[in-house]
C-alpha cells in the first residue's frame, strides 16, 4: 500500500489559496447557549489556523465529552469526538501514527483536569507535539452545573449546595511541573490575544497547553465575563519573560484582584516525543508505511527462535 | 515415560530467584534443536524471590499438546521441592538434588534417588546457581546425550556473560556429567533425533510476532501479568521492525491511544489481562461506534479483581461479551495454542479492517506463558493482508476553500453496511468521527438531531457489516469419529489437553470426539447445533467455575450440555483430569466433575 504522504501529495500542486476563518466553519452550527464562552474559543482557533495558512485536511481536532468538547463538530477539519477525559490519549495515538498532522486537542476543565487528569500530566511530560486548549469554565456544563476540579473553594453548585470544601487545582502549575514546554492562559473575552496565543501554541514544537477562561453563562454565576474582565492582565504588558521558569510559577499562582493571561512558560530546548522516537525518523507517517515483514526481518526473527 | 515412543517430562522445582529459567531454556533449546517436540509450563507464584516454582518440561518425538500428566525426572533446587513433589515420583523415575543442602525424603520403591555433592564437584564454588549447571550435566548424562551438545548450549546461553562464566559453567556441567555417568542409572534407550530442528516460542511471543507479521505499526501496553511478555517482545524488536511501542500511563490510555493510532491509519494492537481489560472496555465500545479497526488482547489470569496474577483461568469470556455498554460490532476469538495465536492475529486484523470494528482476542496464561516447540516452516511470516475498504489517496477538494468533501460520507449506509474509510490527513475527505451516535456524515444525532429513524438506520448499518464479514469465519468442525460415545466441547486453550485426553480415553476403550470452539463472535450457532444435536453425550470442558462457555453455548443454541468438567484452582488441566471426568460421567457418578490438582505450587 503505497500512500503519498502529506508532504508529497496532500497539497494541491501550485495552488495557494489563503483560507479565512469562515472556511473552518463546521457542518453544523454550535449548539452552545447564547453567550457561552466557547464561541470565543472556536472563533479564535478558526482565525489562528487560517492565519497560519493551514488547510482543513491537515488538521485533526480531538476532544472528549462536554459542551466544550463538542468543538470538532463545529470546526471544519478532520475530527475525533471521543470519550470523556480521553482526548489526549487518543490524540497521542493519532499523532504518533501520523506525525505530519497538526493535532489540536480541545475540551473542558472537567474533561481534562478531572477524569482526564492523569493523561494531562503524562502528555505534558512526554512533550508530544500537541496543542491542548482547555475551555475552563470552572464548572461542568453539559451535565448541568456540578463542581469541577477548578471550582473555587466555597462555590455552591448542584453537587455542592453548601459550598465546595475542596481546593481548586492550578492547571498551569500542573503542566509546568509535569514538563509541558508551552504553557499559556487566555480569556475567551479577549479574542485577539487568544488568537496570538493559539498561533504560537500550534507553531511550538512540543506539548502546548492553553487554559482558556471560557465562562459558562448558564451554570456558573461566579466566574462570569465581568469577573474576568475586572481581573485579567496580560503578562506581555508586564514584561514577563516566559523562559523564566520561576517567574512563570509565581505568576501562575497569582489569583485575586489580578489574574494573568498570556504566555507563562516556554522552553524551546527539549526534543519532542516524535523527535526522540527513532521509529518515526525512519520515514514518513507510520500510518502510510507498507505493511508486513521483509524477508530479512522474518529470517532474523525465526533465527532467534532456533 | 511408559509409551513406546520417547516422551519424557523433566520437572525443575525451586524458589523464584534460584535461576530456574536458565537450565529450563538450555534444555528446551537443546531438545528442539534435536528436532524433538516440547511443551513446557511454569507453575509459579507471584513473588520475585522465594515461593515455589515448578517448571514442567515435556519433550517427545511426536507432536504433543500439553505438558503431560507426570514427571519422569525431578530436579530439586531446594528442600521445599523435595518435600512437595517426591511423592509424585513413580518407580523408574529420577530425583536429582544437591546432597550438600537437601535431605532426601522417603521415595517410592524404584525411584532413582540421585544425590549430587555439588561442592565437591565444583571445587567448592561459591556461585549460588552452580548447582543448576551441575544438574544440567547430570540430566544430559542420564538421558544419554553427549556432553558436547551441552557445552555448545552453555556457550550460546551464557556467551554474552563472558569467557570466564562460560568456562566455570562448562566445568561444573562436566562435573555433574561425570558424576552421573559413574553413579546414576541412565535411560535404557537413546533419545531419538527428530526429522529437523524445531524452534521455540511462548504464546506471548507468538502473539507479538503475529502482530508484526500482520503489519502492526503501533503497540501500546501497561504491564500486567501474564500479558507483559508481548510488551517485552515488541519493545525489544520495535526499532528493527519499525513498530511504535509505547508503555502508557494506564490501560485507559493504552486503549485510547491504540484507537487513536488505528483511526489515523496504523494497524494497532494492545494487550492486557482482565483487570486492565476492564479499564479498556469503554474505549472498545468507542471503537465500535467510531468504526475503528483495532485489536485488543486479553491474556486471562485467575480472577476476579486482581485475582491470582500468576495462575491461569478461562474466566473472562463474559467480560469480553459484556465489554462496553450497548450493542456494537466486534469479533471475539480464542486461539487454541501458540501457533494458532500467531495465525489468528493477522486473520483478526483482516477481519476487523474489513468490518471496521474492534476485535478481542482471548488468550490465557497457559498459552501465553507456556513454552512450545514449533516447526519454523509452519510459521507463515507473510500472511495475506487485506485492509478492507480503505481510502488512501487524496483527491482534489472541489470548493475554492479546500473545505468541501465532495459529499464524502464516512458512515455511508451501504448495502453491506461497510462504508469506505478515509484516513485523516487526506485532502477531500474531511469528516468528524464521533463516539456519540451520528448520521452518515458523522454529524451527531445524539442531541437535537435525534430521531428514531436515524438511530435505527445507523444501528442496522453497523450490524449488517458484521453479518457481511462473519461469513469469512469458518464454522467449528468436529474432530474424531462422528459416532463417538462422548463429545468434548472446549474453547481456546483447552484444545491440546482435550486432544490428548481423547487419545488416552481410546486406550481405555472409550471413543470420544472433540468440538473445539475458537470463534466466540461470530458464533456459528446453526452448525454447532447441528453437530451437538447429533452427539450422544456432550461434555463441556473449561477452566472456570461457573461454566461460562456452557452458558454461552446455551444462550446461542438452546443446547444444554449433558455434563461439565471444570477446573478453577489456577492450574491448567492435565490430560488425565479430563479422562477421569469423562469416566466418572459415563459411570453416572456426576454431571459436573472438578478434578483435584495434585501438584501443589
Ligand atoms: C465516563 C463518563 N462519566 C461521566 C460522563 C458525563 N459527563 C459528560 S460531560 C461531563 C462534564 C463536562 O464538564 P467539562 O469537561 O468541564 O465540560 P463543559 O461541559 O463544562 O464544557 C460529564 C461528567 C461521561 N460522558 N462519561
Ligand atoms: S451550559 Fe455552559 S458551557 Fe455549556 S453551552 Fe451552555 S453556557 Fe456553554
Amino acid at each position: 500500500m503505497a500512500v503519498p504522504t502529506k508532504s508529497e501529495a496532500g497539497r494541491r500542486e501550485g495552488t495557494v489559496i489563503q483560507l479565512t476563518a469562515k472556511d473552518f466553519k463546521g457542518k453544523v452550527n454550535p449548539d452552545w447557549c447564547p453567550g457561552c464562552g466557547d464561541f470565543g474559543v472556536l472563533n479564535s482557533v478558526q482565525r489562528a489556523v487560517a492565519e497560519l495558512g493551514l488547510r482543513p485536511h491537515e488538521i485533526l481536532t480531538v476532544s472528549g465529552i462536554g459542551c466544550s468538547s463538542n468543538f470538532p463538530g463545529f470546526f471544519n477539519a478532520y475530527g475525533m469526538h471521543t470519550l470523556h477525559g480521553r482526548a489526549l490519549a487518543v490524540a497521542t495515538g493519532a499523532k504518533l501514527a501520523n506525525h505530519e498532522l497538526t493535532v489540536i486537542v480541545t475540551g473542558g476543565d472537567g474533561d481534562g483536569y478531572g477524569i482526564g487528569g492523569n493523561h494531562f500530566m503524562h502528555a505534558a511530560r512526554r512533550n508530544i507535539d500537541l496543542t491542548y486548549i482547555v475551555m475552563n469554565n470552572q464548572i461542568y456544563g453539559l451535565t448541568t452545573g456540578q463542581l469541577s476540579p477548578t471550582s473555587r473553594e466555597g462555590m455552591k453548585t448542584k453537587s455542592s449546595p453548601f459550598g465546595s470544601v475542596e481546593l481548586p487545582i492550578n492547571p498551569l502549575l500542573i503542566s509546568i511541573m509535569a514538563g509541558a514546554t508551552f504553557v499559556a492562559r487566555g480569556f475567551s473575552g479577549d479574542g485577539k490575544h487568544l488568537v496570538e496565543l493559539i498561533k504560537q501554541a500550534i507553531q511550538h514544537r512540543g506539548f502546548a497547553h492553553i487554559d482558556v477562561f471560557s465562562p459558562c453563562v448558564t451554570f456558573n454565576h461566579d466566574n462570569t465575563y465581568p469577573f474576568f474582565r475586572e481581573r485579567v492582565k496580560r503578562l506581555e504588558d508586564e514584561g514577563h519573560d516566559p523562559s523564566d521558569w520561576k517567574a512563570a510559577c509565581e505568576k501562575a499562582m497569582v489569583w485575586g484582584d489580578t489574574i494573568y493571561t498570556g504566555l507563562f512558560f516556554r522552553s524551546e530546548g527539549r526534543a519532542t516525543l516524535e523527535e526522540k522516537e527513532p521509529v518515526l525518523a525512519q520515514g514518513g507517517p507510520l500510518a502510510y508505511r507498507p505493511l508486513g515483514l521483509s524477508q530479512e526481518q522474518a529470517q532474523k526473527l525465526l533465527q532467534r527462535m532456533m | 515415560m511408559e509409551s513406546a515412543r520417547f516422551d519424557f517430562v523433566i520437572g525443575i522445582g525451586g524458589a523464584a530467584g534460584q535461576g530456574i529459567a536458565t537450565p529450563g531454556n538450555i534444555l528446551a533449546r537443546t531438545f528442539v534443536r534435536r528436532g524433538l517436540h516440547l511443551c513446557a509450563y511454569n507453575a509459579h507464584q507471584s513473588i520475585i524471590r522465594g515461593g515455589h516454582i515448578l517448571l514442567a518440561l515435556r519433550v517427545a518425538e511426536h507432536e504433543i499438546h500439553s505438558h503431560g500428566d507426570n514427571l519422569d525426572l525431578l530436579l530439586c533446587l531446594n528442600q521445599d521441592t523435595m518435600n512437595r513433589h517426591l511423592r509424585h515420583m513413580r518407580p523408574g523415575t529420577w530425583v536429582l538434588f544437591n546432597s550438600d543442602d537437601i535431605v532426601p525424603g522417603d521415595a517410592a520403591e524404584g525411584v532413582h534417588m540421585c544425590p549430587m555433592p555439588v561442592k565437591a564437584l565444583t571445587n567448592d564454588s561459591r556461585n549460588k546457581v552452580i548447582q543448576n549447571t551441575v544438574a544440567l550435566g547430570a540430566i544430559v548424562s542420564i538421558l544419554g546425550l553427549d556432553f558436547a551438545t551441552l557445552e555448545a548450549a552453555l556457550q550460546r546461553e551464557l556467551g554474552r556473560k563472558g569467557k570466564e562464566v562460560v568456562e566455570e559453567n562448562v566445568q561444573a556441567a562436566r562435573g555433574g556429567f561425570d558424576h552421573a555417568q559413574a553413579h546414576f542409572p541412565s535411560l535404557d534407550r537413546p533419545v531419538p533425533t527428530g526429522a529437523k530442528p524445531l524452534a521455540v516460542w511462548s504464546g506471548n511471543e507468538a502473539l507479538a510476532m503475529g502482530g508484526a507479521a500482520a503489519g502492526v505499526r503501533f503497540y501500546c501496553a501497561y504491564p500486567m501479568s501474564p500479558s507483559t511478555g508481548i510488551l517485552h517482545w515488541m519493545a525489544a524488536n520495535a526499532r528493527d521492525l519499525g513498530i511504535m511501542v509505547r508503555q502508557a500511563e494506564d490501560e485507559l490510555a493504552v486503549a485510547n491511544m491504540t484507537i487513536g493510532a488505528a483511526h489515523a491509519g496504523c494497524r494497532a494492537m494492545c494487550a492486557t489481562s482482565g483487570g486492565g481489560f476492564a479499564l479498556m472496555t469503554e474505549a472498545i465500545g468507542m471503537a465500535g461506534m467510531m468504526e475503528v479497526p483495532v485489536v485488543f488482547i486479553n491474556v486471562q489470569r485467575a480472577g476476579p479483581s486482581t485475582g491470582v496474577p500468576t495462575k491461569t483461568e478461562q474466566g473472562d469470556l463474559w467480560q469480553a461479551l459484556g465489554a462496553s455498554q450497548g450493542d456494537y460490532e466486534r469479533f471475539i476469538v480464542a486461539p487454541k495454542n501458540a501457533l494458532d495465536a500467531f495465525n489468528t492475529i493477522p486473520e483478526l486484523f483482516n477481519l476487523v479492517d474489513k468490518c471496521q470494528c474492534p476485535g478481542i482476542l482471548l488468550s490465557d496464561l497457559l498459552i501465553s506463558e507456556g513454552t512450545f516447540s514449533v516447526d519454523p516452516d509452519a510459521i507463515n511470516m507473510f500472511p495475506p493482508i487485506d485492509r478492507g475498504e480503505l481510502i488512501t489517496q487524496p483527491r482534489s477538494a472541489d470548493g475554492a476553500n479546500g473545505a468541501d468533501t465532495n459529499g464524502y460520507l464516512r458512515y455511508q449506509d451501504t448495502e453491506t453496511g461497510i462504508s469506505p474509510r478515509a484516513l485523516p490527513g487526506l485532502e477531500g475527505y474531511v469528516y468528524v468521527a464521533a463516539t456519540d451516535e451520528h448520521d452518515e456524515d458523522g454529524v451527531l444525532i445524539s442531541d437535537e438531531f435525534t430521531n428514531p429513524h436515524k438511530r435505527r438506520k445507523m444501528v442496522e448499518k453497523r450490524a449488517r457489516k458484521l453479518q457481511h464479514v462473519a461469513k469469512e469465519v469458518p464454522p467449528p468442525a468436529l474432530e474424531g469419529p462422528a459416532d463417538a460415545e462422548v463429545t468434548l466441547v472446549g474453547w481456546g486453550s483447552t484444545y491440546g489437553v482435550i486432544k490428548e485426553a481423547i487419545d488416552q480415553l481410546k486406550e481405555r476403550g472409550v471413543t470420544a470426539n472433540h468440538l473445539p470452539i475458537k470463534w466466540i463472535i461470530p458464533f456459528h450457532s446453526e452448525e454447532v447445533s447441528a453437530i451437538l444435536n447429533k452427539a450422544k453425550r456432550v461434555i463441556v470442558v473449561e477452566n472456570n467455575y461457573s461454566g461460562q462457555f456452557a452458558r454461552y453455548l446455551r444462550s446461542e443454541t438452546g443446547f444444554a450440555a449433558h455434563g461439565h468438567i471444570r477446573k478453577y484452582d489456577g492450574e491448567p488441566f492435565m490430560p488425565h483430569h479430563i479422562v477421569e471426568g469423562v469416566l466418572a460421567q459415563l459411570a453416572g457418578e456426576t454431571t459436573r466433575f472438578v478434578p483435584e490438582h495434585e501438584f501443589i505450587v
Side-chain angles (χ1 to χ4, degrees), chain A residues 95-170:
Chain A
K95 177 75 182 180
L96 292 172
N98 186 348
H99 59 292
E100 289 187 355
L101 288 170
T102 295
V103 182
I104 301 172
V105 187
T106 60
D109 42 313
D111 184 78
Y113 308 148
I115 191 166
N118 200 30
H119 305 310
F120 171 50
M121 185 169 82
H122 290 278
R125 115 178 201 266
R126 289 187 180 109
N127 197 31
I128 178 161
D129 188 14
L130 300 175
T131 301
Y132 183 35
I133 302 171
V134 180
M135 287 159 255
N136 185 352
N137 53 16
Q138 285 100 342
I139 200 138
Y140 283 14
L142 193 65
T143 46
T144 70
Q146 301 82 13
L147 273 186
S148 133
T150 49
S151 298
R152 72 168 170 81
E153 210 178 344
M155 185 158 153
K156 289 187 178 169
T157 70
K158 282 186 190 163
S159 61
S160 59
F162 307 109
S164 167
V165 294
E166 292 167 18
L167 265 186
I169 62 148
N170 184 327

